[in-house]
Amino acid sequence: MVTGFQGRGFRVKDDVFPDGLLLSPVRALAWMQAPVVSAMSVAALGDLFDHLELKPEFLLLGTGSGLQQPPRPFVRELEARGIGVEAMDSRAAARAWGVLRAEERWIVGALLPL
């Protein structure tokens, strides 16, 4: 669960992720090479999907301080894998993550800095 915000980053328990955050139901990772939204690619997500036993329903994409639409090729590539994409500003995405995980939804998240 994202427990708060600090500067442009996110707090998860006692850890702070200032440069972006990758989330799955089993771990939270610093997003060290987070791209700008217009350059978003599946490769930029690193191994976010690799450690999961089940395919996530969708990627919750936090696009920074405001909503930006991700590139269509990025969305189409994930949809071809059976994974939807929901984009919103990163604060809203962090709040949505908590609600959806409380419902035990199997999702992943990629939150760009605020």
Side-chain angles (χ1 to χ4, degrees):
M1 293 289 208
V2 177
T3 55
F5 306 100
Q6 187 166 333
R8 295 185 59 218
F10 309 91
R11 192 174 329 110
V12 177
K13 295 185 182 182
D14 294 328
D15 297 320
V16 176
F17 299 87
D19 299 318
L21 176 61
L22 296 172
L23 293 162
S24 78
V26 296
R27 66 182 182 176
L29 300 169
W31 196 0
M32 303 306 291
Q33 305 268 332
V36 296
V37 175
S38 62
M40 188 64 61
S41 68
V42 173
L45 299 173
D47 68 349
L48 180 61
F49 303 106
D50 296 344
H51 66 281
L52 298 175
E53 293 179 25
L54 302 172
K55 178 175 55 177
E57 294 177 53
F58 61 88
L59 167 72
L60 185 59
L61 179 64
T63 60
S65 61
L67 171 62
Q68 299 177 55
Q69 292 302 317
R72 287 302 306 156
F74 169 73
V75 173
R76 280 195 290 272
E77 184 175 350
L78 285 175
E79 287 175 344
R81 296 180 182 194
I83 302 169
V85 177
E86 295 292 332
M88 58 191 71
D89 72 73
S90 291
R91 284 185 188 274
R95 290 188 297 274
W97 175 265
V99 171
L100 293 166
R101 287 299 302 141
E103 296 174 355
E104 298 184 2
R105 301 281 299 271
W106 196 256
I107 60 174
V108 292
L111 308 181
L112 293 167
L114 303 172

